[in-house]
Amino acid sequence: MGAQENRSYNDASRYDGGYGSKPFDNSHPGDDHDGYEHNGGYKNQKTKQLQDELDQVQIIVNENLGKVMEREEHLGNLQGKADRLQNQTKIFNSSATSASRTMRWRNMKWKIIIALTIIIIIVICVAGK
């Protein structure tokens, strides 16, 4: 038994790149220390619960990122529409101002024509007596 104890001590005390990544590492083959047993299950329920929550959070984050990208695209479209609307507003204002001036001038011409006609009629009536 002493020789067997000596042999196991020597095997564990030297680093030969075997099972573990460090000297004196007595981990088992395939044990990555991630809480997951490679036989298809988690070491404990809490680890599985945490992993499920992390998976759900990751799904939610990915969905939110997708929504943010869509919103950014929609905001870009809205900004373009707002710019076009602002340009159309400027064009409309200048057209409305021009139309207003044109109508004012037409009204003024008709008022002058009517006033001249009345004056001519009065002059003809006074001169004909």
Side-chain angles (χ1 to χ4, degrees):
M1 188 163 181
Q4 191 176 18
E5 288 175 7
N6 191 16
R7 193 178 92 211
S8 64
Y9 173 77
N10 287 337
D11 288 343
S13 66
R14 66 186 164 115
Y15 174 68
D16 61 353
Y19 294 125
S21 60
K22 301 177 194 172
F24 306 112
D25 188 4
N26 53 356
S27 62
H28 301 290
D31 190 0
D32 295 332
H33 301 290
D34 60 356
Y36 185 78
E37 288 183 5
H38 293 282
N39 61 1
Y42 284 86
K43 286 184 178 177
N44 60 36
Q45 187 64 26
K46 184 153 181 112
T47 305
K48 182 181 182 328
Q49 182 182 2
L50 287 173
Q51 185 63 45
D52 290 344
E53 288 178 14
L54 284 174
D55 291 342
Q56 290 174 357
V57 168
Q58 185 176 9
I59 289 169
I60 291 170
V61 166
N62 287 337
E63 289 174 355
N64 288 342
L65 285 175
K67 290 177 183 178
V68 166
M69 297 298 281
E70 288 178 18
R71 285 183 187 142
E72 185 178 334
E73 183 178 328
H74 290 301
L75 286 175
N77 290 340
L78 286 175
Q79 183 65 41
K81 289 178 182 179
D83 291 342
R84 285 192 298 277
L85 187 59
Q86 187 175 14
N87 290 336
Q88 290 174 349
T89 301
K90 289 178 184 177
I91 291 170
F92 175 79
N93 282 338
S94 65
S95 297
T97 303
S98 175
S100 176
R101 286 181 188 149
T102 302
M103 293 305 292
R104 207 173 318 135
W105 178 244
R106 280 186 189 169
N107 286 340
M108 185 62 74
K109 281 197 270 183
W110 278 110
K111 287 178 183 177
I112 293 172
I113 290 172
I114 291 172
L116 287 176
T117 305
I118 292 174
I119 292 172
I120 291 174
I121 292 174
I122 291 175
V123 170
I124 291 175
C125 288
V126 173
K129 284 190 177 180

